[in-house]
Amino acid sequence: MSVPRLAARRWHLALQPHILLTGRPGCGKTTVIRRLAELLPKQSVAGFYTDEIRVAGQREGFRATTLAGGSCVLAHIQHRGRQRVGRYGVDVAAFEQLVLPELTRPCALLLIDEVGKMECFSARFVDAVQRRLDSDIPIVATVAISGTGLIAEVKRRADVEIWDVTMENRDELPRRLAARSGPTP
């Protein structure tokens, strides 16, 4: 399914530069991405978000979910992969299989949650994000407060705006972002 050119052009004009959402862990960055996706026509957005896997109140890992509805375990305490963040083993292959097609799906706006250490273990993810940032499709992405590689690179780009997400502003940000698109198709 292709996105109408008018919708893509409106997003391009309204959301350039790309917008990076940053803030402390738990401040609501993922909530902003999810609520923004809910406010927009489903056929106009693509992307993914990550959330915690909790068992009996304890965090055991992280799940990636695409806006098209697929999901996978991104990282888990029981995953014995080579790439690790703290006590979590990152399943790069499962992440790539799920997310890479979503990053190339036709859309008027791409939502990425997040550009973080776990996701950046995938060289293919890093390459796909760099290519999409260089395309004419605007991106709203969450990004870690600190980091090297792609995390630092995206923040240095001349075509990005960095918005700080806080507990105080997280409820208003999805509406502000959606309003920048003008009337929805």
Side-chain angles (χ1 to χ4, degrees):
M1 169 189 322
S2 70
V3 174
R5 285 201 171 279
L6 180 59
R9 186 170 27 254
R10 181 170 48 246
W11 274 106
H12 180 72
L13 293 173
L15 276 181
Q16 280 298 26
H18 305 295
I19 295 175
L20 303 178
L21 305 173
T22 192
R24 297 175 53 88
C27 70
K29 298 180 297 292
T30 297
T31 300
V32 172
I33 291 289
R34 291 178 73 172
R35 289 188 181 155
L36 176 59
E38 291 169 2
L39 290 172
L40 301 172
K42 187 174 180 153
Q43 70 275 11
S44 70
V45 293
F48 73 97
Y49 61 89
T50 58
D51 56 353
E52 294 179 348
I53 299 170
R54 289 194 168 267
V55 176
Q58 298 295 313
R59 185 171 65 195
E60 292 195 356
F62 298 88
R63 176 181 295 105
T65 302
T66 67
L67 297 181
S71 70
C72 75
V73 174
L74 168 60
H76 201 274
I77 58 174
Q78 294 178 355
H79 183 72
R80 300 292 172 219
R82 188 171 49 94
Q83 288 92 359
R84 303 196 71 75
V85 175
R87 62 191 193 122
Y88 306 102
V90 180
D91 191 342
V92 174
F95 176 71
E96 287 178 344
Q97 183 176 3
L98 175 75
V99 169
L100 292 178
E102 188 72 5
L103 294 180
T104 60
R105 193 161 61 90
C107 63
L109 176 67
L110 182 62
L111 304 178
I112 300 173
D113 175 46
E114 81 178 272
V115 177
K117 188 171 182 179
M118 291 182 191
E119 296 82 2
C120 289
F121 278 131
S122 167
R124 294 173 62 202
F125 171 78
V126 169
D127 183 59
V129 170
Q130 289 169 329
R131 280 195 316 266
R132 286 309 288 252
L133 283 165
D134 290 336
S135 77
D136 63 350
I137 303 297
I139 295 172
V140 175
T142 65
V143 63
I145 289 177
S146 63
T148 59
L150 183 64
I151 296 167
E153 178 187 320
V154 297
K155 291 178 182 178
R156 288 192 303 261
R157 290 178 63 107
D159 61 347
V160 304
E161 260 180 64
I162 298 176
W163 291 18
D164 288 317
V165 179
T166 65
M167 300 290 272
E168 294 76 29
N169 72 6
R170 71 179 179 190
D171 291 333
E172 75 180 66
L173 290 181
R175 289 186 298 276
R176 282 181 52 200
L177 288 163
R180 286 181 70 149
S181 72
T184 55

